[in-house]
Amino acid sequence: MTISSINLAMGASSYGAYNQKLTSATKAELEKLGITYNPNITEAEGKKLIQQKKTQDTQNNSEHNLGQNTNKDSLFEKAKELAEKIGIKVDEKENFTSLLAKIESTLEEKIQASSNNEEMLEKLRGLSQELANIQAQSNGSVGYDSTNQALMASLEMLSQYNKNFLH
């Protein structure tokens, strides 16, 4: 047997394996993953579709998680900057929620203490709006109720500001 005959024979056998009809296991996996396919595709094509779908899902999950973490990290940095503006020293182990609570209570105290200082009240109003923005962004992905709660807290702080400003 010559080398070309061997190559031809090997090519034919691999061609037969490559063009094998779709197995029931591969069909089931395609359906489970929600992949639309032509029932006349080969086993190799079915496996390739499954691999593509899994790769795509993995990439989508990675991008989604990265986006969430980046957004949360960015908001935490904004909250740290705001805390520093109002004189709060941020502990390295501080979590985002407790930092926002500290900022809110400190702003409320400063608003009450500055009832006769219009310039300071104006500055505190801007800082309160910055806090409300951070809270709304952090709760925005959770849903309507959380965003509404952040807005209500902001409005309460602004009403306190207005009471002090008018008196």
Side-chain angles (χ1 to χ4, degrees), residues 79-136:
K80 281 182 179 179
E81 289 172 16
L82 179 59
E84 289 174 9
K85 285 180 188 176
I86 61 173
I88 297 174
K89 185 170 177 144
V90 180
D91 184 14
E92 293 283 328
K93 298 176 184 175
E94 187 84 45
N95 75 27
F96 183 68
T97 307
S98 66
L99 180 59
L100 290 180
K102 276 184 185 178
I103 293 170
E104 188 172 348
S105 66
T106 302
L107 280 173
E108 287 174 359
E109 290 171 9
K110 287 186 179 246
I111 288 170
Q112 289 175 357
S114 302
S115 61
N116 295 328
N117 186 345
E118 291 180 30
E119 188 178 310
M120 186 62 162
L121 285 174
E122 191 62 36
K123 180 181 175 187
L124 292 171
R125 179 175 176 233
L127 295 172
S128 296
Q129 288 174 336
E130 196 174 329
L131 173 63
N133 187 27
I134 293 169
Q135 289 172 324

Side-chain angles (χ1 to χ4, degrees), residues 5-17:
S5 303
I6 294 172
N7 285 341
L8 185 60
M10 288 177 67
S13 66
S14 62
Y15 179 79

Side-chain angles (χ1 to χ4, degrees), residues 25-120:
T26 303
K27 281 182 189 178
E29 192 166 356
L30 286 167
E31 290 169 356
K32 179 178 135 189
L33 293 172
I35 301 171
T36 54
Y37 65 95
N38 177 343
N40 295 326
I41 65 172
T42 65
E43 179 71 10
E45 291 169 330
K47 296 266 187 204
K48 186 175 180 181
L49 286 172
I50 291 168
Q51 186 59 41
Q52 287 173 345
K53 174 72 172 165
K54 287 181 178 179
T55 301
Q56 181 183 11
D57 288 349
T58 302
Q59 287 174 346
N60 289 344
N61 286 339
S62 295
E63 289 171 7
H64 179 70
N65 291 338
L66 178 63
Q68 283 183 335
N69 290 341
T70 302
N71 185 34
K72 192 153 188 140
D73 290 344
S74 170
L75 288 176
F76 190 57
E77 288 303 314
K78 286 180 182 179
K80 281 182 179 179
E81 289 172 16
L82 179 59
E84 289 174 9
K85 285 180 188 176
I86 61 173
I88 297 174
K89 185 170 177 144
V90 180
D91 184 14
E92 293 283 328
K93 298 176 184 175
E94 187 84 45
N95 75 27
F96 183 68
T97 307
S98 66
L99 180 59
L100 290 180
K102 276 184 185 178
I103 293 170
E104 188 172 348
S105 66
T106 302
L107 280 173
E108 287 174 359
E109 290 171 9
K110 287 186 179 246
I111 288 170
Q112 289 175 357
S114 302
S115 61
N116 295 328
N117 186 345
E118 291 180 30
E119 188 178 310
M120 186 62 162

Side-chain angles (χ1 to χ4, degrees), residues 133-145:
N133 187 27
I134 293 169
Q135 289 172 324
Q137 286 179 11
S138 72
N139 292 326
S141 63
V142 176
Y144 176 77
D145 290 337

